[in-house]
Amino acid sequence: MGILAGKNVLVTGVLRENSIAFHVARLAQEQGATVVLTAFGRAAKLTELAARRLPTKPAIVPLDVTNQEDLEALAGRLREHVPHLDAVVHSIGFAPQSVMGGNFLAGEWADVAVAVETSAFSLKSLAVACRELLAPGAGIVGLTFDASVAWPVYDWMGVAKAAFESVARYLARDLGPEGVRVNLVSAGPIRTTAATSIPGFEEMESRWNERAPLGWDVADPEPAAKAVVALASGWFPATTGEIVHVDGGVHCLGQ
């Protein structure tokens, strides 16, 4: 019996096998969950290909978290595959390259707004869209990148992540009385498709392994995925509003 045996889990953001979300879906299935994926736009083909590489090919529903019609239709689409949800995994983020890579002062609101809506407000949008399906004790888990400091090249995406972390705290406050937990995993740099699209990403990852007390492998998404699965399970029944760092320990150092 796995820690997600008999549970239904919605996982967003599965694109390729190097994504954290892919390994969350894989581990969730291995731990006994029925997994449903979401797919968006032209990237839907990538999600379809990745889904075939999971232990069991999951159902896939369309979802653009910035589209109100999609959000309103989500619960109905999910009910075609599962009666309720025990966990929702938010692995969605996007910012135009014009607001990253050292362009902080040149960032314009139109582009920043895209980053904030897609990467931060979407957590609230997804939670509300799934709310009627969430079982008591359900867990919402999101992925972040430590927004307590200013990183090189991350720029307005870092600001969006700070907003994302704040949104999680407010959701924890408002959904807690319904028995729903909201937590985040702050992963170290992983060489995913999304990360490598950040201009200058190699600058962020270059010294991480030597700084991390436990060491760090930028090519291994599994440690972060395991933390997501653990938080999604019932093994953290009284934990909400938390950020669990899975970064080899870099966050705790003063260097």
Side-chain angles (χ1 to χ4, degrees), residues 78-215:
L78 289 170
R79 280 198 182 93
E80 295 177 10
H81 306 287
V82 292
H84 65 272
L85 290 173
D86 299 287
V88 175
V89 178
H90 181 290
S91 181
I92 300 168
F94 173 77
Q97 291 198 351
S98 59
V99 297
M100 295 186 291
N103 292 319
F104 184 81
L105 295 179
E108 296 185 358
W109 172 242
D111 291 337
V112 171
V114 170
V116 172
E117 181 180 15
T118 309
S119 308
F121 188 77
S122 63
L123 180 60
K124 190 279 296 186
S125 299
L126 183 62
V128 171
C130 294
R131 187 178 183 184
E132 64 187 82
L133 292 179
L134 294 173
I140 298 174
V141 188
L143 285 158
T144 189
F145 188 74
D146 189 357
S148 64
V149 297
W151 296 102
V153 311
Y154 211 41
D155 297 338
W156 285 100
M157 182 54 109
V159 175
K161 285 298 186 183
F164 179 74
E165 293 176 7
S166 185
V167 170
R169 289 188 286 270
Y170 280 96
L171 283 175
R173 180 196 69 182
D174 288 357
L175 295 180
E178 299 174 17
V180 175
R181 300 167 293 113
V182 183
N183 295 290
L184 303 180
V185 170
S186 180
I190 300 291
R191 205 169 289 153
T192 63
T193 302
T196 53
S197 69
I198 299 171
F201 174 76
E202 62 281 355
E203 183 180 347
M204 296 176 67
E205 68 169 10
S206 59
R207 293 185 57 245
W208 207 278
N209 180 53
E210 62 187 68
R211 293 177 61 207
L214 291 175

